[in-house]
Amino acid sequence: MKIRQTFIALAVTAAALTAAPVLQAAEAPVAAPAAQTVKAGKPTVWILATGGTIAGVAASATEMTGYKAGSLGIDTLLAAVPQIHDIADCRGEQIANVASPNIKVDTWLKLAGRINELLAKPEVNGVVITHGTDTLEETAWFLNLVVRSDKPVVIVGAMRPATAISADGPVNLLNAVKLASTPEAKGRGVMIAMNDVINGARDVQKTNTLRVDTFQSPELGYLGYFEAGNPVFYRASTRKHTSQTEFDVTGLKDLPPVVILYSHVADDGTLAKAAVAAGVKGIVHAGTGNGSVPDDVFKVLKGAVEQGITVVRGARVPNGPTIRSVAYFEEAGLLKAGTLNPQKARILLQLALTKTSDPKEIQRMFDEY
Ligand code: DAS
């Protein structure tokens, strides 16, 4: 009941903002860390805000799609869910305030640096990141590969804006703080807490454009659930992550350019040729079936490998791994994405290319992470 009242209060506040200042809020300079009181005896959780629908504002409570993501600041988000302060000493910090299609590498590098800095402090128990859902799985996977700590890192978003009737953001944020405060959540890699389930960064996908149960780990499954409001684990990934990572983005200003080519009937290789001409360092081919490549595209990709560009075969099919197929793919040096979807294969390839261009080494990384 309290949460619902809080929501209504937030909705009213946000609706009041929509008159005009809300657009300014989205465009306002990123705020300094919010000052919050430290309460003894509770875990300390930092909440790093990046925007998204969880911070989104619409003109009315029934408007679910026509809203401005990344409108509310971290202080408003935290004030809307006072119950999080019963669980942990929560400190907020605004890293960015954008709709997640606009997340860029500089935000990733800033997030990674800040999370590593915070989690290195003995007094910090965990980190929560608020994020738009569109690219949430990519940020989660990137962080899963570059955060160097076993402490819980949880990403959370919402499918309905903060102003919506039955907004999902507040309960998701409450669950995320619980997860980040839970000792059993250590060592499980970066997690996503939404819609009462816990997904792992490696296997999670946004599977539905609109529904609140959009985040799923098809085939490989959830890590756990929130049962009676508390996180309960059933599964763990066997793949390397976080504290076992070999990737270090400290000091980097950018990541190597890697593109995704989406396969389709009658693809004559136009985009593959354009990618090579643009000077990319890597290509992920989102192929049909088990990472199939049309002959016209294959010719271009074979030439790309001969020029030193790393090419990974992935699949546009949502489930199942991309594995060995016809021998000439292997002979041409095309690598395999396994169960990583193309957007995640792209990120792993970018990080791999910060260390090596040796195809055997890069395939090893795809097999281990
Ligand atoms: N606007 C989108 C985003 O910021 C959607 C969302 O957050 O749910 O990713």
Side-chain angles (χ1 to χ4, degrees), residues 22-48:
V22 77
L23 293 180
Q24 289 163 13
E27 289 152 11
V30 168
Q36 276 132 28
T37 330
V38 182
K39 293 179 201 159
K42 286 182 188 163
T44 297
V45 171
W46 278 78
I47 302 175
L48 308 181

Side-chain angles (χ1 to χ4, degrees), residues 51-54 67 69 98-101 131-135 158-159 206:
T53 297
I54 194 166
Y67 57 88
V98 295
S100 72
H131 200 287
T133 61
D134 287 1
T135 62
M159 290 301 287
K206 186 172 188 179

